[in-house]
Amino acid sequence: MHKGFLIIASVLGALAVTLGAFGAHKLKELVPPETVGTFQTGVTYQFYHTFALLAVGILFAHLSPAASGLLEWAGRCFFIGVILFSGSLYILTMLKATETVGLSKIGIVTPIGGLFFIAGWVCLILALLKK
């Protein structure tokens, strides 16, 4: 198993639950409904990729050493994707809540995070196909 990925996934999971609860209860008082939806998308994708990172961490114990490099990259991509994709959506929500101007271009980071998610899934597929 890959202890580092399992720890990161555990932290991301706890953070996703916390942020999800905040989004469901308090955030509605601070921003319009469409912004709550943006925030919730960040939480949802964080959860999906927390589970993917858990799977990667566990798969280290079950796949051949030849697959470990690809698994390492899959885990890294999932983590970077959460930071960029979900993180940018959280920042956009915070900017909307505080009515801060000038940083609206942060939304350009979101699709880059999505590309990291895709790369992580491709690395995972390739690792599973390795003998």
Side-chain angles (χ1 to χ4, degrees), residues 21-63:
F22 171 75
H25 300 289
K26 185 66 176 165
L27 189 60
K28 294 175 184 177
E29 300 170 14
L30 304 172
V31 295
E34 66 273 4
T35 305
V36 173
T38 298
F39 186 85
Q40 193 58 43
T41 298
V43 171
T44 300
Y45 276 80
Q46 182 172 336
F47 259 128
Y48 291 158
H49 292 89
T50 293
F51 292 124
L53 193 53
L54 278 172
V56 167
I58 293 167
L59 282 171
F60 266 91
H62 300 285
L63 294 182

Side-chain angles (χ1 to χ4, degrees), residues 5 53 56 60 70-80 120 123:
F5 285 155
L53 193 53
V56 167
F60 266 91
L70 286 165
L71 283 175
E72 188 78 35
W73 277 107
R76 288 176 185 164
C77 287
F78 291 146
F79 178 61
I80 292 168
C123 288

